[in-house]
Amino acid sequence: MSGSKLLPRSAVPAAADEPLGLTVHSMPSPQALGVEAGRRTVSGRWKMIAVMLMCAAPVIASYFTYYVVRPEGRSVYGELIEPQRSVPAIKAVTRDGASVPLTSLKGQWLIVAVADAACDALCEQQLYLQRQLRESLGREKERVDRVWLISDAGSPPARLDNGLRGATVLRVPPAQLSQWLAPASGHALAEHLYVVDPMGNWMMRFPARMDAAGASRAKRDLERLLRASSSWDEPGR
C-alpha cells in the first residue's frame, strides 16, 4: 500500500506468558469461630438483662421510694412484710361455687380481710373499715380492690350483701391461706387487714383490731403506696 510500511511478523512484540496470580486468604480456625460465637452469646444475654432491668426500673424505683426514702418523712403505720410473700397458685371458690385460681387477684392493689362466713362483730368492723378505706382514696380508689377471704365452708349472711357490693369474696381453706398471709404473733388472721400489691405480693399488715383513728393512718400508707407506684400501675387488671 502506498504511504505505509508493513512490519515483518517478527517485529510485532509477543505478549509474555505470565503465571496467573491468586491471593489465598486463610480461613478462621474452629477455635476462633467458637470464641466469636461465645462473645455474641454473652453480648446477647447482657442486652436481654438490660432490657429486663429497664422494664423493672419503675417498679424498683417506686419500692425504693416507699421503703427507703419514705416520702413526707412520716413513719409507716402498717407493718412492712419482708420478704414479701407471693400469692400461691392455689384454687379458691366464689360465692356461686365456681373454682378460680387465687392468682386471678393479681393486677390490682388489694385490701384483704379474712374471717369465717358467719362474720361476727369484729368481721363486720373489718369489712366496714376496708370499705371506708377504699372510698376515702377518691379517684385513686379504682386502683384498689376489696377482697374478703372466707376461711370456712359456710355461706355469708344476707345482711352483708349490700356492704359487699363491688367486693371480691372467695373461700380459701385456712391451711392454704397460711401459705400466703399470717397474723402478728399472738393474734388471729381475722384481726388484721392485709395489703397486697398488683404483682400479688403480700407486702403490708395493718395492726390488729384497727379502729377509726388507726384507719386514718392506714389511709396515709395507702396513699403513699399509690403515689409511689403511679408510674407503672394503672386501674384495672
Side-chain angles (χ1 to χ4, degrees):
M1 292 183 183
S2 60
S4 64
K5 295 182 180 179
L6 293 177
L7 295 175
R9 185 180 299 272
S10 59
V12 178
D17 293 334
E18 296 181 0
L20 181 65
L22 296 175
T23 302
V24 179
H25 297 278
S26 61
M27 296 293 290
S29 67
Q31 291 81 4
L33 289 173
V35 170
E36 181 63 23
R39 287 175 180 170
R40 290 179 181 176
T41 300
V42 172
S43 176
R45 287 175 180 171
W46 278 113
K47 289 179 180 177
M48 181 177 68
I49 292 172
V51 171
M52 292 174 63
L53 288 175
M54 288 176 65
C55 294
V59 180
I60 295 171
S62 65
Y63 275 104
F64 178 82
T65 300
Y66 188 83
Y67 284 107
V68 181
V69 178
R70 305 265 175 103
E72 303 174 21
R74 297 174 182 171
S75 61
V76 178
Y77 175 65
E79 179 185 353
L80 298 173
I81 306 304
E82 297 179 2
Q84 300 172 4
R85 292 192 189 181
S86 182
V87 57
I90 60 178
K91 293 292 185 179
V93 179
T94 67
R95 296 183 71 179
D96 297 329
S99 178
V100 297
L102 198 60
T103 52
S104 64
L105 294 174
K106 289 183 177 182
Q108 283 277 78
W109 285 97
L110 307 177
I111 306 174
V112 181
V114 181
D116 294 343
C119 197
D120 58 14
L122 173 62
C123 166
E124 289 198 47
Q125 172 73 358
Q126 296 287 72
L127 294 179
Y128 169 77
L129 291 177
Q130 181 192 55
R131 184 169 64 253
Q132 293 302 106
L133 274 172
R134 182 179 183 274
E135 291 300 316
S136 70
L137 296 173
R139 65 181 183 180
E140 294 293 330
K141 71 180 182 180
E142 299 304 324
R143 294 170 57 195
V144 180
D145 281 352
R146 294 181 292 138
V147 178
W148 177 20
L149 299 180
I150 300 176
S151 56
D152 64 7
S155 298
R159 72 177 189 276
L160 299 178
D161 288 348
N162 188 54
L164 290 175
R165 191 170 300 155
T168 299
V169 180
L170 298 173
R171 181 175 290 106
V172 183
Q176 293 182 321
L177 265 181
S178 63
Q179 298 177 33
W180 190 26
L181 307 177
S185 179
H187 295 279
L189 272 174
E191 295 183 61
H192 299 277
L193 289 178
Y194 306 85
V195 178
V196 177
D197 71 19
M199 293 171 286
N201 298 315
W202 168 41
M203 50 78 61
M204 180 177 286
R205 175 177 56 209
F206 291 131
R209 297 178 177 268
M210 182 172 61
D211 57 14
S216 179
R217 297 180 63 188
K219 175 193 171 186
R220 291 198 292 269
D221 280 355
L222 290 172
E223 288 174 335
R224 292 164 60 191
L225 282 170
L226 292 173
R227 280 198 300 272
S229 61
S230 61
S231 63
W232 54 271
D233 175 53
E234 296 179 358
R237 288 186 170 82

